[in-house]
Amino acid sequence: MSRSARYTLSGSSSSSGRVQPGRTQSGSSADSPNSRQYGGIGALVPGFSSWSRRPAETFKPLDSPDSGLGSPSRGGTVGSGQDQSAILEVASVDWEAVINATDHHTDQFDAVMDHQIPVIRRGQTFKLTVNFKRAVIGHRDNIRLRFEFGSHPSIVRGTRVVEQVMGKDETLVKKQWGAKVRTLSGGHVFMTVMVPADCAVGYWKLSILTNFKEDTSKIQTFSVDQGAYVLFNPWVKEDIVYLENEKDLKEYVLNDMGKIYCGTDKRLRSRAWNYGQFEDGVLEAAVQLLDNSRLDASARGNAIKVVRTISAVVNAPDDNGLLEGNWSGNYEGGTPPTQWQGSVQILTEWLKTGVPVRYGQCWVFSGVTTTVLRALGIPGRSVTNFASAHDTNANITIDYHYSETYEKLEDMDVDSIWNFHVWNECWMDRPDLPAGHGGWQAIDATPQETSEGVYRAGPCSVAAIRKGEVGFQYDAPFIFAEVNADIVHWMCESENSLVKLEVDCKGIGKHISTKAPGPMQFGDADRLDITANYKAPDMSAEERACVMNAILSGHSSSRAAYDMPTKDLLFELVERDDVFIGKPFTLTLKMINSSTEKRTVDAVMHLETTFYTGVRAEKVKTAKHSVVVPPKGEAECSISCSPDEYLDLIVDQAAFQVSAIGTVKETKQIFCLNDDFRVRAPDVVVKSEGSYKVGKPFKIDCKFINPLARVLRKCVFIVEAPGLEKPHEISCSNVEANGEANMTYTCTPKTPGKKTILVSFSSKELSDADGHLNIDIKAAH
């Protein structure tokens, strides 16, 4: 079959009485993962429905003389195979796999292009064609789609969905399952199906349910043999893994080749790695790993839980997972870790045998994890940390012990420092954490230590690691120690007494590296150093403050290695009043001294733009201060920002985050504060005069004043008036600096009642400006 061919699927049908919640009407139990077509690949996409005419709709029934589709008696070839008086029976189903793949960025999957297995992404619509054995009669026939996920589908748990197929004039809601007719021709129903952006990821099955509208006691069920894979969708804002930058999407989702860095901090080297996420069997293996895991099917839409599960199932110790680790040097009975060049062979071998593949070490675990992440639609990358700490006893320091004669007490030394260690980052929002902790999350599939009884680590916010915020889930103390633990040397004076000899604050976490977006290059030209994402420069005041923050909040047993601070200063970020975009602003850190002695504060203030999800977008500026706070007195420091410094860096909703971190010299007190705010656009002024009656046109006048000292281009007003008009976009000319944009729009009410007219203004340089007008429409008489 050619790559461009359509793939029409068959299935089995059965008749039954009324569908009962929680019961399968086809008479067959849910397929086990290994029963899927295409060597076990299989899954159906969520979002089913059936075509019906709602009372308010005005389109013609199929037997209408001017419907343009022909009457049932004229039916086409499809209609000739079934008695017109019988319940609709399905002849075939076309997933339109190749066509959908282009829209869903899945056209690189061999499953799609070579086997026409449907692979779609949640959060957007896909096309589906159902061919019936007779012509559809709109006023009589009822069609529904039933999607099912997992071994025990349940409507309550969101793993079974039954949707009525709506008429073509209906609107699908992005965050809900839905289906509607796209085109109807005799017995051919061309549908559009919406998959919500939070639906479970994996293999979904589909059934078509038909009955007469006036008789719901008899239902015909057609179970489609082939299901569809539903993936995460980093291209849509509604998905938790949304990633805005197209260059990053190409690298961290679509690039199937990369580099993993190895060596030492003094001699870095890279090895090419074939991620191969689109190759035969890889997607199937990735889904099978989740199917075999302890993660409930109802949680498969939660990216946080899914990546935590991936970090567990890629290793083998406690769940018979994908890959067995071996650091012994004896690799008899398996493949030496250094011989692997990619993930495909490992995943397909496991899929074939069901037995953990031998053997892997950290870069192999990471390479395979990157493949699984990208196959499932989660932006992911392999990250190497040189001089990487392994904090076995979870005290956030690496401890070495000596006798009173300075002999090493190796039996007490449980921690270690690896030349390098490779883990993964995946991109997502973190709605379970405070704002500012979305973006890159660290996960680690190398089986080092258990987390909640299982060998896994993460996801842990990289932003939290940088600030020493080790109280946030998951496994922050361990990952913080990997990149920024201090090395503490202790003398054992007696069985119960330790004396600090020395603290090395610069020995851990160097040259943290990943491949930069773009084509592969020779040498290190494409190495991206991301050390600054994980920590401030070693021995800087900010870095020391972060370490102390981790030691204190993590209740480290190594606190004796540090002078514990006295907390007699109160720190507060002063809240901002409304700041309009295009205006300068100043953010202030207030310090209140409750002691009778002066205090000297070294503070660093950072200003960053953020996405609405709290994910960092761009660094705007940093300000460093040394401030003396008088006894029983107050002092302030601030960071100021001009429009020229921030206008080109703002993103959706013009949100910012300000953070302040530092120390008090006299007491070693540490502080770390965060706050978020936004600069807002002026409102769109919406006005209208006169009375409002059904059928009587009226005008609304809209005005927007450009607050910027620059021209606004590609300007558009968007008018939405539910119950009055469908959404309209009205383009307007460029708006000069500090100039005005005006627009007049005419509405004709169709129904009486209180209505709201929404008007927004958007341009290339400025968006998120809106306004509204409430009106009361009277009946015509």
Side-chain angles (χ1 to χ4, degrees):
M1 182 177 291
S2 68
R3 282 180 177 257
S4 60
R6 288 282 186 90
Y7 188 51
T8 302
L9 301 170
S10 62
S12 60
S13 62
S14 63
S15 297
S16 66
R18 183 181 301 275
V19 177
Q20 299 295 325
R23 309 241 346 148
T24 302
Q25 289 301 310
S26 64
S28 60
S29 61
D31 294 343
S32 67
N34 292 326
S35 70
R36 299 172 186 156
Q37 289 191 354
Y38 171 53
I41 291 191
L44 175 89
V45 3
F48 29 98
S49 45
S50 93
W51 182 81
S52 66
R53 183 166 62 89
R54 297 184 177 181
E57 292 175 348
T58 59
F59 59 87
K60 303 294 183 181
L62 294 183
D63 51 358
S64 171
D66 59 349
S67 67
L69 298 173
S71 66
S73 61
R74 292 190 224 110
T77 55
V78 172
S80 62
Q82 185 185 357
D83 184 349
Q84 297 294 315
S85 64
I87 296 175
L88 270 178
E89 290 186 21
V90 176
S92 62
V93 174
D94 184 353
W95 281 101
E96 304 192 45
V98 175
I99 294 174
N100 286 320
T102 301
D103 295 336
H104 287 252
H105 302 92
T106 58
D107 51 352
Q108 295 185 57
F109 280 100
D110 288 345
V112 177
M113 306 310 294
D114 292 343
H115 307 284
Q116 284 69 53
I117 303 293
V119 180
I120 62 173
R121 297 188 189 276
R122 65 187 195 174
Q124 66 184 92
T125 60
F126 70 92
K127 297 177 176 65
L128 179 72
T129 299
V130 181
N131 302 305
F132 294 99
K133 294 182 180 179
R134 65 164 172 81
V136 177
I137 303 173
H139 68 272
R140 188 182 71 177
D141 294 321
N142 194 49
I143 307 170
R144 289 174 293 162
L145 305 181
R146 182 175 69 203
F147 290 93
E148 295 178 304
F149 182 83
S151 57
H152 299 91
S154 164
I155 290 177
V156 173
R157 300 172 71 83
T159 53
R160 169 180 286 173
V161 186
V162 180
E163 285 291 328
Q164 186 79 19
V165 178
M166 302 183 295
K168 59 184 178 182
D169 292 334
E170 295 295 322
T171 300
L172 298 177
V173 180
K174 260 199 167 185
K175 296 183 179 181
Q176 299 176 8
W177 283 104
K180 71 174 186 176
V181 172
R182 194 167 80 248
T183 306
L184 181 61
S185 178
H188 306 285
V189 183
F190 303 90
M191 304 178 187
T192 298
V193 182
M194 172 64 74
V195 184
D198 61 352
C199 91
V201 166
Y203 186 76
W204 284 81
K205 291 171 285 185
L206 171 65
S207 300
I208 315 294
L209 312 178
T210 58
N211 63 280
F212 292 132
K213 291 183 178 180
E214 66 276 7
D215 184 5
T216 58
S217 63
K218 295 181 180 179
I219 298 174
Q220 185 79 23
T221 301
F222 180 87
S223 299
V224 182
D225 289 341
Q226 176 63 60
Y229 287 102
V230 178
L231 310 182
F232 290 99
N233 194 345
W235 279 268
V236 299
K237 291 184 178 181
E238 292 78 11
D239 200 309
I240 192 176
V241 301
Y242 171 66
L243 178 58
E244 182 182 48
N245 188 291
E246 189 65 31
K247 188 176 181 181
D248 287 345
L249 285 165
K250 288 180 179 178
E251 179 68 30
Y252 302 128
V253 181
L254 299 180
N255 195 349
D256 55 5
M257 184 66 68
K259 283 184 175 181
I260 299 177
Y261 294 88
C262 307
T264 69
D265 66 299
K266 295 180 177 62
R267 191 176 294 274
L268 284 65
R269 66 181 183 87
S270 63
R271 60 169 69 234
W273 193 266
N274 174 25
Y275 296 121
Q277 66 266 33
F278 303 116
E279 296 194 28
D280 267 337
V282 170
L283 176 58
E284 182 182 5
V287 171
Q288 188 71 62
L289 282 167
L290 293 180
D291 290 344
N292 290 2
S293 73
R294 308 174 190 184
L295 185 64
D296 189 84
S298 63
R300 290 272 289 273
N302 185 330
I304 299 167
K305 293 184 178 180
V306 167
V307 299
R308 183 156 172 78
T309 299
I310 290 171
S311 76
V313 297
V314 166
N315 64 64
D318 41 34
D319 45 21
N320 200 38
L322 172 68
L323 187 62
E324 183 177 331
N326 186 339
W327 287 264
S328 69
N330 178 7
Y331 307 115
E332 185 177 352
T335 300
T338 53
Q339 289 187 16
W340 298 114
Q341 299 183 75
S343 308
V344 178
Q345 184 180 351
I346 296 170
L347 285 159
T348 53
E349 180 181 332
W350 174 83
L351 184 65
K352 180 180 178 180
T353 66
V355 176
V357 177
R358 298 178 175 177
Y359 293 104
Q361 291 182 5
C362 66
W363 70 90
V364 186
F365 286 106
S366 175
V368 173
T369 299
T370 297
T371 299
V372 173
L373 290 170
R374 294 183 184 181
L376 294 175
I378 301 171
R381 60 190 187 183
S382 292
V383 171
T384 302
N385 177 39
F386 293 91
S388 186
H390 184 155
D391 178 25
T392 302
N393 58 4
N395 65 349
I396 317 182
T397 57
I398 302 303
D399 301 299
Y400 293 109
H401 302 83
Y402 304 86
S403 70
E404 291 183 273
T405 57
Y406 299 104
E407 295 177 357
K408 289 185 177 180
L409 302 177
E410 294 183 357
D411 59 330
M412 296 183 66
D413 294 342
V414 295
D415 299 330
S416 59
I417 302 173
W418 296 19
N419 285 342
F420 71 94
H421 179 53
V422 190
W423 60 75
N424 291 84
E425 288 180 352
C426 50
W427 181 275
M428 67 183 65
D429 186 20
R430 287 299 298 270
D432 57 323
L433 301 181
H437 293 86
W440 289 115
Q441 311 292 314
I443 63 172
D444 195 344
T446 301
Q448 299 179 88
E449 301 295 331
T450 59
S451 172
E452 297 176 333
V454 177
Y455 280 100
R456 59 185 171 187
C460 176
S461 167
V462 174
I465 292 302
R466 194 186 195 283
K467 298 174 184 177
E469 295 173 334
V470 297
F472 296 138
Q473 293 182 323
Y474 292 88
D475 309 306
F478 183 82
I479 297 172
F480 177 89
E482 286 185 301
V483 300
N484 210 11
D486 287 342
I487 304 170
V488 183
H489 300 267
W490 302 92
M491 176 184 288
C492 297
E493 288 187 330
S494 65
E495 185 177 346
N496 299 313
S497 177
L498 293 175
V499 176
K500 178 186 68 175
L501 294 176
E502 183 182 0
V503 178
D504 178 359
C505 303
K506 299 189 293 184
I508 300 297
K510 300 176 181 295
H511 310 302
I512 303 175
S513 304
T514 190
K515 180 188 173 296
M520 296 266 287
Q521 299 184 35
F522 290 104
D524 289 341
D526 52 358
R527 184 180 74 89
L528 179 64
D529 193 303
I530 57 173
T531 308
N533 291 357
Y534 282 86
K535 61 180 185 176
D538 283 332
M539 297 305 296
S540 66
E542 183 179 2
E543 186 265 349
R544 286 294 85 198
C546 293
V547 170
M548 288 306 302
N549 191 32
I551 291 291
L552 295 175
S553 59
H555 305 289
S556 170
S557 61
S558 294
R559 293 173 69 172
Y562 303 89
D563 297 324
M564 291 297 105
T566 299
K567 292 187 176 183
D568 52 21
L569 252 66
L570 175 66
F571 296 89
E572 177 186 359
L573 284 168
V574 180
E575 291 190 9
R576 291 288 312 164
D577 295 328
D578 259 3
V579 177
F580 284 96
I581 192 168
K583 302 295 183 183
F585 59 82
T586 298
L587 303 165
T588 301
L589 174 66
K590 185 177 182 180
M591 295 158 272
I592 304 173
N593 185 0
S594 62
S595 76
T596 57
E597 299 177 353
K598 74 171 186 178
R599 294 289 182 250
T600 305
V601 177
D602 288 330
V604 180
M605 300 182 72
H606 296 289
L607 181 65
E608 301 168 337
T609 57
T610 64
F611 294 100
Y612 74 97
T613 58
V615 176
R616 170 183 162 172
E618 299 286 348
K619 180 178 179 179
V620 179
K621 65 186 304 185
T622 296
K624 298 182 179 180
H625 302 278
S626 183
V627 182
V628 176
V629 188
K632 297 293 184 178
E634 299 181 5
E636 294 180 347
C637 62
S638 60
I639 184 169
S640 297
C641 194
S642 69
D644 288 341
E645 290 177 304
Y646 72 78
L647 279 178
D648 293 330
L649 302 177
I650 56 176
V651 290
D652 294 344
Q653 301 186 32
F656 291 81
Q657 183 178 79
V658 59
S659 60
I661 188 167
T663 59
V664 181
K665 283 186 176 180
E666 292 83 359
T667 64
K668 309 302 181 187
Q669 178 181 346
I670 308 296
F671 65 92
C672 182
L673 304 174
N674 300 293
D675 196 11
D676 54 270
F677 70 99
R678 63 188 291 259
V679 292
R680 59 181 293 258
D683 294 331
V684 176
V685 179
V686 186
K687 293 183 178 181
S688 180
E689 296 180 356
S691 59
Y692 311 103
K693 290 185 179 181
V694 172
K696 179 183 177 181
F698 69 93
K699 293 182 178 180
I700 59 171
D701 296 311
C702 307
K703 180 174 71 172
F704 177 76
I705 299 176
N706 178 8
L708 305 182
R710 59 178 65 179
V711 176
L712 303 183
R713 295 165 294 171
K714 296 184 178 180
C715 302
V716 61
F717 283 98
I718 302 172
V719 180
E720 296 192 39
L724 293 172
E725 296 280 345
K726 293 183 178 179
H728 284 279
E729 291 190 5
I730 299 98
S731 297
C732 60
S733 57
N734 291 348
V735 182
E736 295 300 318
N738 303 120
E740 243 180 54
N742 292 279
M743 183 270 294
T744 299
Y745 184 76
T746 301
C747 288
T748 303
K750 297 179 180 179
T751 57
K754 294 182 178 180
K755 310 289 184 182
T756 300
I757 301 172
L758 307 175
V759 182
S760 62
F761 176 87
S762 180
S763 69
K764 183 178 180 180
E765 293 78 15
L766 184 150
S767 60
D768 200 30
D770 55 47
H772 69 275
L773 176 68
N774 296 321
I775 60 175
D776 191 358
I777 300 170
K778 305 298 182 183
H781 302 292

